[in-house]
Amino acid sequence: MGVMRKKSVLVILFLVLITLTSCKQASGSAVEETEKTILAGIGYNNQHSQYKGLERFKEIVEKKSKGALNVKIFHSGQLGDDRSMIESLQLGVLQVTIPSTAPLANFISEFLIFDYPFLFPNEEVADEVLDGEMGKRLLDLLPQQNLIGLAYWENGFRDLTNSTRPVSSMQDLKGLKVRIMESELHLSAFRKLGANPTPMAFGELFTAMQQGTVDGQENPISTIYLEGFYEVQKYISNTHHVYTPFIFLMSKPFYESLNEKEQKVVSEAAREAGKYQRKLNRKDTENYLQKLKDNGMEYTEITESSRKEMKKTIEPLLEQYTKEIGTDMVSDVYNAIENAQSP
């Protein structure tokens, strides 16, 4: 059995133990017997807007349910990576996680659309599409995987950093060793742009940059700052090459165990906390970018013409992924984005 598989099994056993302990403690009184515990696991640390949004969710749920629902938060990947936490939801041993959409594409191919480079022009258009009919249509695919999608939160636009040179155009990417997520689409896209992409686990990234195994990486500004990448990276460019949503997921078995009133409470809380998290994330992005500059990083603006050149270069390779996702689905997403930009 591999190391990662062993870790997943241990996490599941840990979650089962917590659940059994909660049930035992709840047997103390008639009031406590009605309490249901929501174990929520996320990958980011307790300084990230994702954690703060989850704190808001906890506050709303416990208040509106009058203590019938209790939320326990585990941050910093304590319960595993995104994929393993999604699997724990499917098994019903974890109740909530809020992954990026990329890991979800391993379960439902339609979510691969969010890995398309240069899909959304800005956050406002993303909000309108995700909170509209198109976003709901995608969330409606989740129950087939024993998951319930309650709301879209925000990871944000991904930007490029490196320790070799400023990047202001596609030509500057040539030969750069860039760590990417383990995504075939991202691998193909960065190769097409001339870079030398290297899929790597996030936990190995800081050391890899420190030792020069890779020249750089790509992530949202909040992640770049909170992970201290400015200590081992010199240059940052606002490539904005991918906009990544978070999806607030709940275990379908757990959701169906709730009564109608409790389902309404968690659904409304996920949406309300999501709006708070998005607003906070955008404010953090602005503040953290300034802090990255203050810590010595050199910032480069990508011109709109350079971004269009990158987009045009990548477009041909998207055809194979469009077939995998479904031509109608991809077309409908692009139409929704176009409509969101119409006056």
Side-chain angles (χ1 to χ4, degrees):
M1 185 182 290
V3 174
M4 290 304 295
R5 185 61 184 162
K6 285 181 179 178
K7 184 176 180 181
S8 296
V9 171
L10 289 172
V11 167
I12 289 171
L13 289 173
F14 172 67
L15 290 168
V16 170
L17 179 61
I18 292 176
T19 302
L20 291 174
T21 302
S22 297
C23 292
K24 183 177 180 181
Q25 290 174 344
S27 64
S29 72
V31 174
E32 289 175 335
E33 283 174 7
T34 65
E35 182 183 295
K36 297 173 184 176
T37 299
I38 298 173
L39 303 179
I42 57 172
Y44 286 100
N45 65 31
N46 60 359
Q47 300 302 306
H48 197 279
S49 62
Q50 186 188 59
Y51 176 83
K52 294 172 184 177
L54 195 47
E55 282 189 313
R56 177 63 63 92
F57 171 80
K58 171 183 170 71
E59 177 186 329
I60 296 168
V61 166
E62 293 181 351
K63 181 178 180 180
K64 288 191 174 180
S65 71
K66 297 180 180 178
L69 298 173
N70 175 45
V71 181
K72 292 184 178 180
I73 303 173
F74 297 84
H75 59 81
S76 305
Q78 295 175 71
L79 303 183
D81 59 17
D82 281 345
R83 178 162 186 155
S84 62
M85 285 190 284
I86 292 170
E87 291 171 346
S88 293
L89 257 64
Q90 292 176 310
L91 293 171
V93 294
L94 181 65
Q95 286 70 53
V96 164
T97 190
I98 315 172
S100 294
T101 48
L104 270 176
N106 294 308
F107 299 85
I108 298 174
S109 61
E110 284 84 350
F111 282 96
L112 187 62
I113 186 66
F114 295 118
D115 278 351
Y116 274 35
F118 309 107
L119 182 67
F120 291 110
N122 53 56
E123 291 98 339
E124 292 73 26
V125 169
D127 289 349
E128 187 165 341
V129 173
L130 296 174
D131 294 341
E133 184 57 37
M134 196 68 243
K136 182 180 182 301
R137 183 171 156 192
L138 285 159
L139 294 183
D140 286 346
L141 299 172
L142 290 165
Q144 64 184 268
Q145 288 293 328
N146 230 19
L147 303 166
I148 298 292
L150 296 181
Y152 290 95
W153 290 20
E154 178 178 272
N155 196 353
F157 279 105
R158 304 179 76 87
D159 289 326
L160 179 76
T161 71
N162 80 96
S163 57
T164 304
R165 57 179 173 267
V167 173
S168 61
S169 66
M170 197 169 76
Q171 288 67 38
D172 296 325
L173 281 168
K174 190 172 182 179
L176 279 183
K177 294 180 290 184
V178 181
R179 178 269 176 183
I180 61 167
M181 294 187 293
E182 296 180 31
S183 161
E184 281 297 324
L185 196 162
H186 284 196
L187 185 68
S188 301
F190 272 93
R191 280 178 178 163
K192 195 77 172 175
L193 292 172
N196 181 12
T198 303
M200 181 184 297
F202 185 75
E204 301 171 7
L205 177 54
F206 189 94
T207 301
M209 291 189 293
Q210 190 175 44
Q211 296 178 346
T213 306
V214 294
D215 299 317
Q217 60 84 53
E218 47 84 49
N219 260 298
I221 295 294
S222 293
T223 303
I224 294 168
Y225 176 73
L226 291 174
E227 294 294 329
F229 290 166
Y230 54 84
E231 296 176 15
V232 289
Q233 297 279 271
K234 175 65 178 175
Y235 306 102
I236 182 167
S237 303
N238 69 328
T239 49
H240 275 34
H241 50 279
V242 171
Y243 175 85
T244 305
F246 286 135
I247 296 190
F248 192 104
L249 293 179
M250 181 166 278
S251 166
K252 183 183 175 186
F254 178 77
Y255 183 80
E256 292 180 342
S257 76
L258 302 176
N259 60 43
E260 188 175 337
K261 183 178 179 181
E262 290 168 340
Q263 288 179 353
K264 184 179 179 182
V265 166
V266 296
S267 297
E268 290 180 350
R271 289 193 294 270
E272 185 178 336
K275 289 178 182 178
Y276 167 78
Q277 186 270 337
R278 280 177 178 170
K279 185 177 180 180
L280 182 59
N281 192 61
R282 290 165 196 179
K283 183 178 179 181
D284 283 348
T285 295
E286 184 178 336
N287 293 337
Y288 290 154
L289 177 57
Q290 184 57 51
K291 289 186 177 183
L292 290 174
K293 295 176 184 178
D294 293 343
N295 277 281
M297 292 198 78
E298 183 179 319
Y299 177 69
T300 302
E301 287 272 358
I302 303 291
T303 65
E304 197 55 40
S305 60
S306 290
R307 197 173 279 112
K308 284 180 179 177
E309 181 186 12
M310 293 179 189
K311 183 177 181 180
K312 187 176 181 181
T313 301
I314 288 169
E315 279 175 354
L317 71 83
L318 297 179
E319 292 178 10
Q320 68 184 85
Y321 297 101
T322 294
K323 291 177 183 177
E324 182 180 343
I325 295 169
T327 303
D328 290 343
M329 175 65 79
V330 173
S331 177
D332 289 347
V333 170
Y334 274 108
N335 286 337
I337 291 170
E338 186 176 344
N339 291 336
Q341 297 177 77
S342 301

